[in-house]
Amino acid sequence: MRTFRHVQRAALAAAATALLLTGVPAAMAEPTAGQVVSGGEAQPTFSAAAPVRQDLWVRAPIDSDADGKDDEVHVQVVRPAGATGKLPVVYQASPYFSGGNDVTNHGVDVELYVPGGADTRMAKPLGVTRGRAAEELAAAGITLNAGQISWAYEEYFLARGYAVMYGESLGTGTSTGCPTSGARNETIGARAPIDWLNGRTKARDAQGKDVAAQWASGKVGMMGVSYNGTLPTAVASTGVPGLEAIVPIAAISSWYDYYRAAGAVVAPGTYQGEDTDVLAKYVYTRSDRAICKKVIDKLEQDQDRVTGEFSQFWNERNYLNDAGKIKAAVLAVHGLNDFNVKTKHVDQLYSALKKSGVPHKIWLHQSGHTDPIGLRKDEWLRTVNRWFSKYLLGQNNGIDREPKLTIQREDKSWVNEPDWPTPAASNATAVFQAGGNKIGGFVPGGNRPGPAVTESLQDDATKLAADLVAAPSSPNRLAYLSKPAATSLRVSGTVDVDFRMSFQRPAANVTALLVSVGPDGKSRIVTRGWVDPQNRDSLNKPTPITPGKEYAIKVSMQPHDYVVPRGHRLGVVVLSSDNEYTLRPKPGPGFAVNLSSTRVTLPVVGGQAALNAAISPNPR
């Protein structure tokens, strides 16, 4: 694979030759296929009308449906008409290009697992997953019409001399193989079209004739939203040659963190009761409706919705294991208010990229599970163009030397900063002051000596977290709020709560919410976190809880970046079950929190001094 330095040297040599022969300087690092680059950006010089569209089936070196033949990946390749030479490719892989099936979700109104105890779980299904494909495709800007796949970015890339390629995940549409919600076979299947573009595997057309990608430069960028953004991360983690850049948007980095949280069975937002087996059944749209049944049935068994523990099943679906193999430059994008694919996914991937030295950049916005093209279209398209121009066309346009973070603030303005979380943040601590069923205090400080002060709550999973936060009094939550902030305060990173807790039952959910309350009394859940206290020592093995005994329990909330406005109250609300995310046992006994030995750690710009100045009840 040619390095960027080689590309730059070749461009300099070409420029020098052109100057000697013609007296006219050639464009620096001019790409192939007649593309025109100006200011480090590919320009719209090709017609996007009536493109060449071709359906092919690429051989993948795996037999996930056990039919004795290598799986095949259906791809649809779209090229600008009249383009000559070698084209770079922007590639999107997806399980949603052929829609989805109606599938029953798992019941979540169940009793929690107790090691060695009787299984009192109820089996009533929650409902039906339907319409997910439409939602995901809409978020990704994908439209389908009589077998033709189109994308909101298609004309943009075609006009700039890129080919666009769509690939159907294994087990979906006219691809063979089986869907497995992130397992190794899906990664191999999504990688195969890149190998074909680089001459390392074969493809056939509908008549069975071998087709070579003689038109391709071999340089590929992958891009997509949600599952379509997860597959670029998966493929990049194989280190496949030819994949030069990826743009994962709202993407999963570890499937355990999509369907679990610190030992607790926790749903992706708006998909209560979904799990790997439900998702696989949903996207299983190939015509053979029987061949993958055993494979998908095994997902239901191995995912373990009883204990929520981490296992080899989940380890196979953890792309962070191979983050060190990623060579593609990564432009990561995530919504700060995305509780479908939660912010932990981009945070832990981005952290791994920084450690490995892979070229990286991140966009964070104030919306949820969506593509930024609908938020800041012109600047976003220019960023993507420059990213691919740099890494697919070899342009030395300086995007790698610019601030790493582009972030949208709460007032919808955009700013560029050195990196994320902001290097200006450092840890500050705060503690709770007793408030009973009403509202206690939230003040700067560390653990306090003296007699234990405990407060307790009762679990009621029928109540929504937002309603419990807004309630002035409730036996089903503990609330701790600061005084109105004297100055604005920025939290950037992961908020942790180190509890000392005792439980009334041998199993419980523990939920912690970071909240902000305005002068008008309106409350906002900024971020939240969950834990199964049985997994306090290990995600792989539960440790029993003895009712009445006190334990150290840590809850790490989803990473966030939030500015608490002046005059707003910052705080933490504690509850047991979270109706929209956790399993929901019958209402009953909950737990007690030892306030004297519980501490909150917040990454704050300006550190402890800034927290003190903003919310200390007795500022100096």
Side-chain angles (χ1 to χ4, degrees), residues 585-601:
K586 293 178 180 177
F591 52 72
V593 176
N594 182 342
L595 306 189
S596 306
S597 301
T598 292
R599 181 178 66 179
V600 182
T601 303

Side-chain angles (χ1 to χ4, degrees), residues 161-185:
Y162 293 90
V164 174
M165 180 171 68
Y166 307 107
E168 292 197 286
S169 294
L170 296 183
T172 73
T174 58
S175 294
T176 62
C178 296
T180 52
S181 300
R184 177 174 171 269
N185 68 302

Side-chain angles (χ1 to χ4, degrees), residues 37-43 382 386 395-397:
V37 176
S38 176
E41 303 174 37
Q43 300 299 307
R382 182 168 183 264
R386 295 178 69 226
Q395 293 294 305
N396 185 19
N397 56 23

Side-chain angles (χ1 to χ4, degrees), residues 193-207:
I194 299 175
D195 286 329
W196 169 66
L197 291 169
N198 284 274
R200 296 187 294 266
T201 192
K202 291 184 177 181
R204 65 170 180 84
D205 61 17
Q207 289 71 45

Side-chain angles (χ1 to χ4, degrees), residues 204-228:
R204 65 170 180 84
D205 61 17
Q207 289 71 45
K209 182 181 177 181
D210 285 352
V211 178
Q214 296 177 341
W215 49 266
S217 71
K219 292 186 178 295
V220 183
M222 290 188 74
M223 181 174 172
V225 180
S226 194
Y227 211 145
N228 302 13

Side-chain angles (χ1 to χ4, degrees), residues 183-184 256 302-303 309-318 321 540:
R184 177 174 171 269
Y256 182 84
D302 293 348
Q303 68 194 3
E309 293 168 15
F310 189 82
S311 63
Q312 181 53 40
F313 175 88
W314 296 108
N315 194 51
E316 181 183 350
R317 292 162 171 80
N318 183 5
N321 289 336
N540 301 315

